[in-house]
């Protein structure tokens, strides 16, 4: 940590040493650096800096923690011609992401008995937990797979899960180009067949709560976000389909010897322009499109629950935005005065395009894109607006980041009534497994407020609103 | 001399279910695998005898499955127990049990209730209990045996170990901020593979139906085989694990050790 040199507010340089091709860049403030276990993740930042074709910096977000090869909360951009693509730079849960929807009634206006009914309806409608959870009666055929991979989230909209305008409110309009089922193994297809529209286990969730505080009233107003408003936050990814695609690729890359010479074999990476590199991108895009459909169908479940319990028009649950936080994408960025085509790996990091970015819809071109930062189920989540910071390839944080291991969290809460404890804090939770709740208790996470403050201090994204959960469905 | 109720047995590690049917339940730390019941005896002599105990024929606790509920004695059950099916070392354990009984007899002890055919099991509850309820609630569980102990029965279904012969655990769960991680131990690559599967099944007992006993020859082979197992389980019943990562190296000579990280 003593090696870090302060460049700008909340922005530190990790100087080059050994085999590092570029320096590291760490987004954090002093408080976070004191709190977090930084040595192991920083070693991973250094390792990533050794990858061929890396441009600029090996970047760590303020929610960084130790991950598979790359740190979680890591960003690395590779030259699209000469660089490599690494499954460890995307993560197992390809296109794990978050979407935020808004309901135009204040949360306080929903009667307590309706809130209880809403939570129950969400739990019943949306499969959660391992595998296909308690739903999963619908199985995807290969024809379904081909269509959904080609069309992205538009496929689910065509199937009746949502509305065409939803697609305008998603990163890349809910579709990564270039996906193909031919690059996906039979086992990956089998893992995903019953899992579309399900939350999964671990840190994934659906939460409903109130917009607690507005920081940027101008942006909030443009996004029709107001204090007290009911919000819905969905966190899930590509489920077993994406996990298997990652695993298949790692197995192949290992066998091909792509890990040789790397400081950590979990960074195994193929040249982007090699057959293996292209195949991975194709399969990764397939998983990304699966994930967009997954979150679209979960949102349809949420809308159904609101309709059943509150008798509201499903369109009144309005999607604000959907972001990926485990993905590699081809993007154009300026570097050293030149426009460069880069493959930007964001693992536990969110794209944070600023005002005027061409990919964004008209509304978000005016404000910067929404950046969604889930915290923990007790304290808060945040809504931010991207500032398009070129130092991080327009990237920002993705969450609070774990501070305590699952084992420690389990031990800390053993024998205590965690449901009652959360209820006392105003949070009702339903989960397929009590163990998941214990592992995911608020004190297992860093304080998300500190993470977003550092993100704002570093000028990656601007705080717009703080969201306070009230109802949570966990896996 | 006090009239103590002494017996030999093994500590048992298992992801015990949170809920069990009604019965006089033994507390989790008190559940054990009884090997030989002594009753009361001269403790000083027993201590002297145990000081020359030559040790166990295995250095790592054996892995097994609770595969069936038992109600013992069969004619008029007083205890609800779970039967142990060894995943490794079944014959070795049986030989040790017989040899240990002989060893006690050679030293003037007469273990009670010893039968020719030893039925390894762990008592979970004493009567009153409903046999049908216990049968219906039973689900297979993984386990491994830990320290070999001389226990004293304290009454009220409580026991105290007054002597122990330690055994290494086949795995220990360790700290990992984001995922779950274990130190897995084995006497060979193949043994390490079994213990890695056992470790995973402690988090997800349904994985027992997907265990693989095929040959593996390297650490990478173990990772691939574990991931095939996770993938198959996820496709059929769902799995809380995404995958086992290509992390860590083999350490040790006689006892191999591997830090296994599992993405969840």
């Amino acid at each position: 940590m003593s090696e870090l040199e302060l460049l700008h507010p909340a922005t530190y340089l990790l100087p080059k040493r050994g085999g590092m091709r570029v320096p590291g860049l760490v987004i954090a403030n002093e408080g976070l650096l004191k709190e977090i276990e930084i040595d192991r993740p920083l070693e991973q930042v250094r390792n990533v800096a050794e990858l061929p074709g890396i441009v600029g910096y090996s970047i760590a977000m303020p929610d960084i923690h130790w991950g598979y090869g790359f740190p979680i909360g890591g960003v690395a951009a590779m030259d699209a011609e000469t660089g490599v693509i690494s499954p460890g730079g995307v993560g197992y849960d390809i296109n794990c992401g978050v979407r935020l929807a808004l309901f135009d009634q204040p949360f306080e206006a929903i009667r307590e008995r309706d809130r209880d009914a809403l939570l129950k309806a969400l739990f019943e409608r949306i499969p959660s937990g391992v595998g296909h959870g308690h739903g999963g009666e619908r199985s995807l055929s290969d024809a379904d797979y081909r269509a959904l991979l080609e069309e992205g989230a538009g496929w689910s909209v065509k199937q009746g899960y949502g509305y065409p305008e939803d697609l305008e409110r998603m990163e890349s309009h809910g579709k990564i180009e270039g996906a193909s089922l031919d690059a996906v193994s039979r086992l990956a297809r089998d893992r995903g067949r019953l899992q579309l529209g399900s939350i999964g286990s671990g840190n994934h969730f659906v939460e409903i709560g109130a917009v607690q505080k507005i920081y940027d009233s101008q942006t909030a107003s443009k996004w029709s976000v107001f204090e007290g408003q009911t919000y819905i936050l969905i966190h899930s990814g590509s489920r077993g389909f994406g996990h298997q695609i990652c695993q298949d690729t790692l197995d192949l890359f290992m066998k091909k010897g792509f890990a040789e010479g790397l400081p950590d074999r979990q960074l195994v990476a193929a040249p982007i322009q090699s057959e293996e590199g292209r195949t991975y991108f194709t399969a990764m895009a397939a998983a990304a499109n699966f994930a967009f459909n997954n979150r679209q169908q979960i949102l349809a479940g949420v809308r159904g629950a609101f309709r059943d319990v509150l008798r509201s028009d499903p369109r009144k649950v309005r999607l604000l935005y959907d972001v990926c936080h485990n993905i590699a994408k081809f993007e154009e960025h300026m570097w050293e005065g030149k426009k460069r085509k880069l493959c930007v790996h964001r693992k536990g990091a969110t794209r944070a395009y600023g005002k005027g970015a061409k990919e964004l819809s008209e509304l978000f071109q005016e404000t910067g894109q929404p950046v969604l930062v889930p915290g923990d189920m007790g304290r808060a989540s945040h809504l931010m607006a991207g500032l398009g910071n070129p130092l991080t390839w327009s990237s920002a944080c993705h969450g609070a980041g774990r501070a305590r291991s699952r084992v420690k969290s389990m031990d800390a809460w053993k024998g205590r009534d965690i449901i009652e404890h959360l209820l006392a804090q105003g949070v009702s939770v339903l989960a397929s497994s009590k163990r998941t709740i214990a592992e995911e208790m608020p004190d297992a996470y860093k304080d998300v407020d500190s993470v977003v403050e550092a993100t704002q201090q570093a000028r990656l994204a601007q705080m717009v609103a703080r969201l306070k959960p009230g109802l949570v469905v966990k896996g | 001399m006090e009239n103590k109720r002494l017996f030999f047995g093994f500590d048992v590690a298992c992801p015990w279910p949170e809920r069990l049917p009604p019965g006089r339940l033994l507390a989790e730390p008190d559940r054990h695998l009884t090997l030989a019941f002594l009753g009361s005896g001269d403790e000083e002599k027993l201590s002297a005898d145990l000081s020359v105990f030559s040790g166990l024929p295995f250095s790592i606790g054996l892995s097994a499955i609770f595969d069936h509920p038992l109600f013992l004695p069969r004619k008029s059950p007083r205890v609800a127990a779970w039967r142990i099916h060894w995943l490794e070392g079944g014959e070795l354990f049986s030989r040790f049990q017989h040899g240990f009984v002989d060893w006690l007899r050679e030293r003037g002890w007469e273990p009670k209730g010893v039968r020719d055919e030893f039925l390894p099991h762990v008592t979970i509850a004493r009567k009153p209990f409903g046999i049908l309820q216990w049968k219906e609630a039973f689900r297979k569980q993984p386990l491994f045996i830990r320290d070999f102990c001389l226990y004293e029965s304290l009454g009220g279904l409580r026991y105290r170990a007054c002597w122990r012969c330690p055994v290494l655990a086949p795995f220990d769960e360790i700290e990992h901020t984001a995922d779950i991680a274990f130190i897995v131990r084995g006497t060979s690559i193949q043994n390490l593979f079994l213990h890695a599967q056992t470790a995973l099944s402690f988090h997800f007992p349904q994985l027992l139906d997907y265990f693989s006993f095929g040959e593996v020859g390297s650490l990478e082979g173990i990772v691939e085989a574990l991931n095939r197992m996770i993938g198959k389980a996820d496709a059929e019943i769902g799995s809380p694990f995404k995958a086992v990562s290509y992390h860590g190296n083999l350490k040790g000579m006689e006892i191999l050790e591997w830090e296994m990280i599992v993405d969840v």
Side-chain angles (χ1 to χ4, degrees), chain B residues 26-249:
Chain B
L26 273 78
E28 290 177 10
D30 288 313
R31 296 173 194 165
H32 56 267
L33 163 58
T34 302
L35 201 75
F37 187 77
L38 289 185
S40 58
D42 181 344
E43 278 188 73
E44 272 184 32
K45 180 179 178 327
L46 190 55
S47 290
D49 288 340
L50 286 173
S51 68
V52 294
F53 174 64
S54 58
L56 297 164
F58 43 84
S59 47
I60 301 178
L62 304 174
S63 296
I65 299 176
F66 286 123
D67 71 338
H68 207 276
L70 294 172
F71 304 96
L72 301 170
R74 289 197 164 102
K75 280 189 181 168
S76 177
R78 289 191 303 273
V79 303
W82 291 348
R83 187 175 75 183
I84 291 176
H85 170 79
W86 298 107
L87 291 172
E88 58 177 327
E91 278 185 31
L92 185 72
F93 186 88
S94 182
R95 277 203 304 277
F96 168 69
Q97 191 266 339
H98 283 109
F100 185 70
V101 167
D102 290 344
W103 184 87
L104 287 171
R105 283 176 176 152
E106 282 163 17
R107 281 156 184 79
W109 299 94
E110 189 45 57
K112 296 172 180 59
V114 176
R115 293 183 186 157
D116 286 345
E117 202 176 332
F118 178 65
L119 176 64
H121 67 273
V122 171
T123 295
I124 310 296
R126 290 189 173 269
K127 72 174 190 181
F129 53 79
I131 289 182
L132 198 62
Q133 269 180 300
W134 276 79
K135 273 186 181 169
E136 281 174 0
F138 179 78
R139 300 286 180 275
K140 280 192 278 188
Q141 297 290 339
L143 74 132
F144 63 84
I145 54 171
R146 308 192 64 159
D147 295 357
F148 181 47
C149 301
L150 173 66
Y151 296 104
E152 178 193 355
S153 174
L154 303 173
L157 306 181
R158 299 308 307 266
Y159 307 92
R160 179 178 71 90
C162 27
W163 171 86
R164 357 184 118 243
C165 175
V167 182
L168 279 175
F171 64 87
D172 283 309
E173 188 161 355
I174 57 169
E175 292 286 314
H176 189 288
T177 316
D179 297 311
I180 55 174
F182 304 88
I183 296 292
V184 185
R185 302 182 186 89
T187 50
S188 64
I189 291 278
Q190 199 65 35
N191 193 234
L192 201 66
F193 178 41
L194 173 65
H195 293 165
Q197 293 181 82
T198 307
L200 293 176
S201 71
F202 263 58
H203 270 258
F204 187 51
Q206 291 94 313
L207 212 57
L208 289 169
D209 291 333
Y210 295 86
F211 268 32
S212 160
F213 298 94
E215 289 286 318
V216 290
S218 65
L219 189 54
E220 287 193 1
I222 292 177
V223 173
E224 282 178 23
L226 291 173
N227 284 328
R228 273 197 300 277
M229 176 177 75
I230 289 169
K232 189 165 188 295
D234 193 37
E236 292 177 6
I237 58 167
S239 158
F241 312 123
K242 293 174 188 163
V244 173
S245 66
Y246 281 105
H247 164 85
N249 297 303

Side-chain angles (χ1 to χ4, degrees), chain A residues 184-197:
Chain A
V184 178
S185 71
R186 178 60 51 192
L187 184 53
R189 297 177 204 188
D190 288 345
R191 284 182 80 167
R193 258 182 231 292
L194 290 166
Q195 296 184 349
L196 197 62

Side-chain angles (χ1 to χ4, degrees), chain A residues 242-259:
Chain A
H243 309 162
Q244 192 61 42
I245 285 170
C246 179
Q247 191 57 50
D248 290 339
T249 308
L250 289 168
D251 291 346
L252 176 74
F253 282 15
M254 288 286 184
K255 284 199 174 84
K256 290 275 179 182
F258 288 138

